[in-house]
Amino acid sequence: MLVYQDILTGDELLSDSFPYKELENGILWEVEGKWVVKGAVDVDIGANPSAEGDGEDEGVDDQAEKVVDIVDTFRLQEQPAFDKKQFVTFMKRYIKLLSAKLEGEKKDHFMKNIEAATKFLLSKLSDLQFFVGESMHDDGSMVFAYYKEGATDPTFLYIAPSLREVKC
């Protein structure tokens, strides 16, 4: 299995269990999330409920909750939304931090294409949710989520050059 870590913080943000599609010359990865029910376990042991008692404990709430699989799996932490000015300020600082960690061809590709990727994100800014990794580090990578038109499950956007592939 492959896990993708944020090269700025070491937080695990994604794995190969979630297929991605490249956007904006590979700078962005688009990953489909799903709402799942966590904690709900209905176990049928084959016993006759009428023989077990009066059935009053049926339907006990077992702390089931609805979560988004990617958010839950990687313990992503939602952040407040950005306005345009805050987002541009964040991206300028982020580009500077990330480009310092990249080298050679990877850095050149990133610098050449990040502006178009930033414009793509800006076009969706009002629809985006913002997440950071488990450490909630200020200088870490941001994961973006939005709902495509008519979709009930969120779509996540990752800035691909910020991810380091680690074999588990």
Side-chain angles (χ1 to χ4, degrees):
M1 180 165 132
L2 296 175
V3 172
Y4 298 99
Q5 291 180 335
D6 179 357
I7 65 173
L8 297 173
T9 64
D11 289 340
E12 292 181 358
L13 299 178
L14 189 63
S15 77
D16 62 353
S17 300
F18 298 92
Y20 64 85
K21 182 173 97 178
E22 291 187 355
L23 303 176
E24 300 298 326
N25 290 320
I27 295 296
L28 296 177
W29 285 358
E30 182 181 77
V31 182
E32 301 299 326
K34 287 188 177 64
W35 282 98
V36 295
V37 177
K38 178 182 171 187
V41 179
D42 185 20
V43 179
D44 181 3
I45 58 172
N48 181 351
S50 63
E52 298 293 319
D54 59 9
E56 283 188 30
D57 63 345
E58 297 294 319
V60 172
D61 180 12
D62 62 352
Q63 305 292 321
E65 64 178 316
K66 210 171 171 188
V67 297
V68 176
D69 55 0
I70 293 173
V71 173
D72 185 59
T73 301
F74 300 103
R75 296 176 293 282
L76 300 180
Q77 307 296 314
E78 188 166 5
Q79 301 298 298
F82 288 170
D83 63 24
K84 185 177 180 179
K85 184 179 177 184
Q86 291 169 320
F87 182 73
V88 170
T89 301
F90 166 79
M91 286 303 293
K92 284 180 182 178
R93 190 179 94 237
Y94 179 73
I95 290 166
K96 189 176 182 180
L97 290 168
L98 185 56
S99 64
K101 295 276 189 179
L102 301 174
E103 296 176 354
E105 206 172 289
K106 196 170 184 177
K107 182 176 183 173
D108 293 341
H109 179 75
F110 173 71
M111 295 306 288
K112 181 179 173 186
N113 294 288
I114 189 61
E115 185 177 342
T118 301
K119 286 180 181 175
F120 176 82
L121 291 169
L122 270 170
S123 74
K124 298 188 174 312
L125 189 62
S126 63
D127 298 325
L128 293 178
Q129 287 177 278
F130 301 86
F131 295 89
V132 293
E134 184 177 20
S135 71
M136 296 183 69
H137 199 284
D138 287 346
D139 293 334
S141 295
M142 189 79 63
V143 178
F144 310 97
Y146 71 102
Y147 289 84
K148 291 183 176 179
E149 192 170 326
T152 57
D153 292 323
T155 298
F156 289 82
L157 297 168
Y158 291 82
I159 298 177
S162 71
L163 301 174
R164 173 184 25 217
E165 188 176 286
V166 178
K167 289 186 181 187
C168 292

